[in-house]
Amino acid sequence: VNQVANLALVSSACDIVSTAYASTKESHPYIRSVCDAAEKGVKSVTEATASCVQPVLTTLEPHVAAASEYASKGLDKLGEKLPLLQKPVEQILSDTKELVSLRATDVKDAVSS
């Protein structure tokens, strides 16, 4: 999970969503109260569940470690094959706009000639 969260694409997307969420909460008082209640509910459920789940996690720890190792290797290979994952959302959008603009110019030039 940490490795996925540290990918530039995922990290920047999370930052964008987090900023939008915070901005929406600040701009709309009714939404803020609903979000605050939901956040408190999630926190309560998480805290209550953590104590119950801990013994199970301790038992499954070797299996989780093996799965984590396997997933990490898979993510490394995926990162090699998809360099896009190493770029933040803003750069991907900028690169895409530039590519579309270049292609549009090429089409315009081809049609003109």
Side-chain angles (χ1 to χ4, degrees):
V1 172
N2 287 335
Q3 192 173 356
V4 170
N6 287 329
L7 291 171
L9 178 62
V10 174
S11 177
S12 66
C14 288
D15 289 345
I16 290 169
V17 170
S18 177
T19 300
Y21 177 77
S23 173
T24 301
K25 275 180 64 174
E26 291 304 314
S27 301
H28 305 285
Y30 297 117
I31 292 176
R32 178 181 7 193
S33 61
V34 170
C35 289
D36 288 343
E39 289 170 13
K40 287 177 185 173
V42 169
K43 184 177 180 183
S44 298
V45 168
T46 302
E47 290 170 352
T49 305
S51 61
C52 297
V53 172
Q54 190 56 47
V56 174
L57 290 177
T58 302
T59 304
L60 294 176
E61 190 172 351
H63 305 293
V64 171
S68 179
E69 178 76 21
Y70 183 73
S72 179
K73 289 178 182 176
L75 283 170
D76 288 342
K77 287 183 181 181
L78 188 62
E80 291 170 9
K81 295 186 185 285
L82 294 172
L84 184 73
L85 295 173
Q86 306 303 328
K87 295 180 180 181
V89 171
E90 296 84 2
Q91 185 178 357
I92 293 169
L93 291 174
S94 174
D95 292 352
T96 302
K97 287 177 186 176
E98 185 178 330
L99 181 62
V100 168
S101 177
L102 288 172
R103 295 297 176 235
T105 301
D106 291 346
V107 169
K108 180 181 161 189
D109 292 344
V111 169
S112 295
S113 65

